[in-house]
Amino acid sequence: MENFKTIREKTYAIERAFLSPFATRSENTKGRLREEEPCAMRTDFQRDRDRIIYCKAFRRLKNKTQVFFSPEGDHYITRLTHTLDVAQISRSIARTLCLNEDLAEAIALGHDLGHTPFGHSGERILNNLCPQGFEHNVQSLRVVDVLEKDGKGLNLTFEVRDGIVNHKKSGHPATLEGKCVSYADRIAYINHDLNDAIRAGILKLSDVPADIFKVLCSCSTERINTAITSIYKNSAGKNDVKMDEQVEKASEDLRAFMFDRVYLSKTAKSEETKAERMLYEMYSYFMSAPEDLPQTYISLLDNFSREQVVCDYLSSMTDRYAIYMFNKIFVPKGWTFIDEK
């Protein structure tokens, strides 16, 4: 029986005994940007997960749009519920492949921290406004490296940071756990966004091409199960994470269908012009009056360009805070009338 000095060391032993040889073991992390004393209870990946959950950017996700601007219904997906979906699917994939669930979960919880208000429309708008361009995955890394904790960042491990910045389909994660999250992100959003579009009356289930459902199934739960099962069958015991060609193609066809009929549809984009004007006006305002930025962002101006810091502030806003700030800056306040005797 091994004698462990800490709970962390016991977790290391469990990982050595049960994880795949292709998994990322916690004890083999490439470390943090700044060295820290290890925790006696938690591995570094577990600490990263906890830091993300308790950061301000994570809490703001509950009021950030996924597809529809400030939806009124209680059951529409927000960035927070999407993130929780991705975390759950990531853990399921990692578990079936005997990979590091803690690492997959930490990446998943942090992957969208840099997302803008007004969903992907906000991302497109800021990409046009900012001279350096804007990508939410790059901004998510900036959030955890720089913006959180009043400019100190969360000081996460290399593996979590790499998974966050590489979670998009075009990315190349350095770990299999990062690849799990990349797949989980796509599995989550094409399925729950389809459900939201049907709930909103934009689509009917019968609008989806039959050949897609023939492979993936028309039931959301079964579609997710089909995707995870495909990944397991094609990745177990291999130094890779992938789907079979048939399921991959059907998933990409559904994704293309969603872009055509939902993400870039007239309904989803009907308010985008207003959001663009709001963000453009606020960008121009803070570029000319940086002293009106919150103090945390003013402090960043010592090390970063004004354009970067203004984009940091705008991208951090929730939908409703962006509307509030626009009204505060540009909409005149009414006077209180006093009856004259």
Side-chain angles (χ1 to χ4, degrees), residues 127-322:
N127 187 49
N128 291 330
L129 279 176
C130 303
Q132 70 273 19
F134 186 92
E135 293 181 275
H136 78 272
N137 58 313
V138 176
Q139 188 67 17
S140 293
L141 182 62
R142 181 167 167 79
V143 167
V144 300
D145 279 356
V146 177
L147 301 182
E148 276 295 325
K149 297 185 71 173
D150 297 324
K152 298 176 183 177
L154 300 180
N155 197 29
L156 304 182
T157 57
F158 163 82
E159 293 80 4
V160 174
R161 296 172 60 250
D162 169 82
I164 287 173
V165 78
N166 283 295
H167 78 267
K168 291 173 67 174
K169 186 172 182 287
S170 58
H172 300 282
T175 66
L176 295 190
E177 291 80 3
K179 291 184 177 182
C180 290
V181 175
S182 181
Y183 266 113
D185 184 35
R186 281 172 275 154
I187 293 168
Y189 75 68
I190 61 174
N191 283 288
H192 60 51
D193 291 354
L194 175 58
N195 293 339
D196 271 4
I198 293 170
R199 181 178 291 113
I202 295 173
L203 290 176
K204 299 187 296 292
L205 202 59
S206 58
D207 292 331
V208 180
D211 58 334
I212 293 176
F213 281 167
K214 186 176 180 180
V215 176
L216 299 181
C217 189
S218 59
C219 170
S220 179
T221 302
E222 288 302 317
R223 288 196 300 272
I224 294 172
N225 186 62
T226 296
I228 294 175
T229 300
S230 174
I231 292 172
Y232 169 71
K233 288 181 177 179
N234 287 272
S235 310
K238 299 177 183 177
N239 189 18
D240 200 3
V241 176
K242 60 182 180 179
M243 290 179 177
D244 67 76
E245 290 183 6
Q246 187 181 32
V247 174
E248 182 91 58
K249 182 181 183 304
S251 299
E252 284 303 306
D253 288 346
L254 179 56
R255 183 172 178 268
F257 172 82
M258 290 295 293
F259 268 93
D260 181 50
R261 295 291 300 275
V262 179
Y263 304 137
L264 301 178
S265 69
K266 285 186 177 180
T267 303
K269 290 173 67 68
S270 61
E271 298 296 300
E272 185 169 324
T273 301
K274 297 176 185 177
E276 184 172 12
R277 288 173 180 166
M278 286 174 56
L279 291 174
Y280 174 81
E281 293 298 336
M282 287 195 288
Y283 179 84
S284 299
Y285 176 82
F286 287 114
M287 283 298 295
S288 62
E291 67 276 5
D292 288 346
L293 289 165
Q295 185 56 50
T296 298
Y297 292 90
I298 291 175
S299 300
L300 291 171
L301 292 170
D302 293 336
N303 298 307
F304 301 99
S305 70
R306 187 179 301 183
E307 292 86 354
Q308 176 69 71
V309 174
V310 171
C311 283
D312 288 337
Y313 183 45
L314 294 181
S315 66
S316 76
M317 294 180 176
T318 62
D319 295 25
R320 64 184 186 181
Y321 184 77

Side-chain angles (χ1 to χ4, degrees), residues 45-79:
F45 299 149
Q46 291 169 345
R47 292 181 84 185
D48 284 359
R49 175 198 59 206
D50 295 348
R51 289 179 184 189
I52 291 168
I53 287 174
Y54 289 109
C55 77
K56 292 178 181 177
F58 185 81
R59 294 197 292 272
R60 289 196 296 268
L61 293 176
K62 69 176 184 282
N63 289 314
K64 289 198 175 190
T65 286
Q66 173 68 16
V67 177
F68 305 105
F69 293 175
S70 301
E72 295 295 330
D74 291 334
H75 301 119
Y76 286 101
I77 294 292
T78 66
R79 280 288 156 201

Side-chain angles (χ1 to χ4, degrees), residues 74-92:
D74 291 334
H75 301 119
Y76 286 101
I77 294 292
T78 66
R79 280 288 156 201
L80 180 59
T81 49
H82 164 70
T83 294
L84 297 177
D85 277 354
V86 176
Q88 175 58 36
I89 295 171
S90 297
R91 288 196 72 117
S92 294

